[in-house]
Amino acid sequence: MKTRDRLRIAVQKSGRLSESSQTLLAQCGLKFRQSRDKLFCFGETHPVDLLLVRDDDIPGLIADGVCDLGFVGRNVLEEQRLDQIANKGESALQALRSLGYGSCRLSIATPQDEEFEGPQSLAGRRIATSYPRLLGRYLADAGVTAQIVVLSGSVEIAPRLGTADVICDLVSSGATLIANQLKESVTLLESEAVLAAATTEFLDTRQPMLDLLLRRLDGVMAVRETRLLMMRASRLALAKVRGALPINAFTTVMAVQDDESQVALQSVISGAFGWAELEAIQAAGATQLLVLPVERMLA
Ligand code: PRP
Ligand code: ZN
């Protein structure tokens, strides 16, 4: 593998993932200066540059070694992994992290007035898609033979044009399907943005930079659902209050000056935490409860 001293990350230029991907990099403390043609962003704070490209090109750019990493939908990555496996017997691409945004699903959609009774109702039909490998795998697993019509875009209008009977495409809000009088019938793949990379390790300074980026990404993703809970409790109620805290809570108990009977608690909690959970802790004897957002975290 070629050596290089700066990491190069492929990011979608415009579309579903572009804004969230750049926001995530900013939250990791990386700042960039964009070139005049808006295709390249030079990293000002770290040896990390961005290439702004079409999302479908991202796995290929990584496979060819032009880019080291990419923020891309799992749907695009999986399709190209299957394509490489079909052509070369293996794929050197992997998803290093799931990033928790850009969620959508790859689904089969049929005309609204048509009944879908499982994969066998696809037998012998024409299915338009930009994901022939994922669709092919689904059909093969189901033991169904159908005709796959490969289109690079505007898949949803194929049934109206008469070029296909049903489609297999990405669904997010579902608005595109409704606008085209189609209904979602079965989901083939749940997708979200992932950090894609080659399966090989870097032998140069890109590796420590990647390690730093992954640590910060993990930190950013962890605090997304992390809260700091602060409260008071009497020493007598302490065991009961602690018992009411979420199982994974990381709790510190402190003495309260001038009041021996009381303690202050500080608890880092993650996962779903709403009014009901807070009220249960209060009912266990906690007072002066405060829930605060966490901005940064290093474990
Ligand atoms: C997908 C898909 C639909 C649309 C569905 O395209 O092809 O057109 O999104 O979203 P909805 O359910 O919210 O209406 P996308 O914007 O990802 O473009 P691309 O496939 O060309 O990258
Ligand atoms: Zn695309």
Side-chain angles (χ1 to χ4, degrees):
M1 205 201 266
K2 262 186 290 175
T3 61
R4 217 190 294 138
D5 56 6
R6 298 180 68 84
L7 264 186
R8 205 179 284 158
I9 310 181
V11 179
Q12 188 182 30
K13 184 171 158 50
S14 65
R16 191 188 292 281
L17 304 180
S18 51
E19 210 185 302
S20 308
S21 301
Q22 301 218 25
T23 303
L24 183 55
L25 286 165
Q27 288 170 328
C28 289
L30 275 65
K31 288 205 176 71
F32 301 92
R33 182 160 28 90
Q34 200 167 37
S35 70
R36 238 174 254 180
D37 59 12
K38 301 217 156 74
L39 298 175
F40 187 81
C41 297
F42 177 81
E44 291 185 313
T45 48
H46 295 79
V48 179
D49 305 319
L50 307 184
L51 215 57
L52 304 183
V53 298
R54 263 170 37 104
D55 64 343
D56 311 68
D57 293 336
I58 292 176
L61 288 167
I62 300 170
D64 294 344
V66 177
C67 291
D68 306 305
L69 303 167
F71 289 90
V72 68
R74 184 188 304 286
N75 51 301
V76 172
L77 179 65
E78 273 306 304
E79 176 69 18
Q80 302 211 15
R81 268 173 44 81
L82 291 181
D83 195 60
Q84 292 178 354
I85 291 168
N87 291 326
K88 293 187 277 184
E90 58 174 13
S91 169
L93 294 175
Q94 61 175 332
L96 290 178
R97 293 290 187 280
S98 295
L99 301 172
Y101 60 89
S103 65
C104 59
R105 51 207 183 270
L106 182 68
S107 293
I108 302 229
T110 47
Q112 263 165 14
D113 51 17
E114 205 180 282
E115 286 304 315
F116 180 83
E117 280 149 0
Q120 56 285 353
S121 50
L122 298 169
R125 316 213 51 200
R126 296 167 304 162
I127 312 173
T129 190
S130 310
Y131 298 87
R133 295 293 181 193
L134 286 163
L135 174 58
R137 183 176 68 179
Y138 170 77
L139 293 172
D141 287 351
V144 168
T145 309
Q147 189 189 332
I148 299 179
V149 181
V150 183
L151 300 176
S152 58
S154 305
V155 170
E156 60 274 6
I157 60 170
R160 261 192 299 153
L161 295 178
T163 50
D165 307 306
V166 299
I167 68 167
C168 171
D169 199 11
L170 289 187
V171 183
S172 177
S173 64
T176 303
L177 292 188
I178 290 171
N180 289 280
Q181 282 126 50
L182 298 166
K183 65 164 192 262
E184 195 173 355
S185 298
V186 61
T187 296
L188 277 55
L189 179 84
E190 296 282 351
S191 184
E192 65 180 301
V194 299
L195 179 65
T199 46
T200 43
E201 279 209 0
F202 302 115
L203 300 172
D204 48 41
T205 54
R206 285 175 293 178
Q207 190 61 44
M209 186 55 230
L210 172 60
D211 295 339
L212 176 80
L213 181 62
L214 289 176
R215 279 199 305 276
R216 290 192 181 183
L217 275 175
D218 289 341
V220 170
M221 290 190 288
V223 296
R224 269 191 201 149
E225 49 173 43
T226 301
R227 308 268 175 284
L228 178 65
L229 176 61
M230 296 171 76
M231 72 214 107
R232 286 276 190 96
S234 79
R235 285 188 191 275
L236 296 173
L238 181 57
K240 223 173 145 200
V241 167
R242 291 197 76 157
L245 293 171
I247 258 170
N248 58 0
F250 180 79
T251 304
T252 311
V253 182
M254 292 155 286
V256 174
Q257 210 170 9
D258 306 328
D259 190 347
E260 289 264 316
S261 71
Q262 291 265 310
V263 287
L265 285 89
Q266 178 175 300
S267 195
V268 180
I269 51 180
S270 56
F273 188 81
W275 280 108
E277 287 78 8
L278 195 61
E279 284 156 357
I281 297 166
Q282 186 186 42
T287 57
Q288 299 176 46
L289 292 106
L290 276 179
V291 185
L292 292 92
V294 173
E295 190 176 303
R296 244 167 254 184
M297 202 161 85
L298 273 179

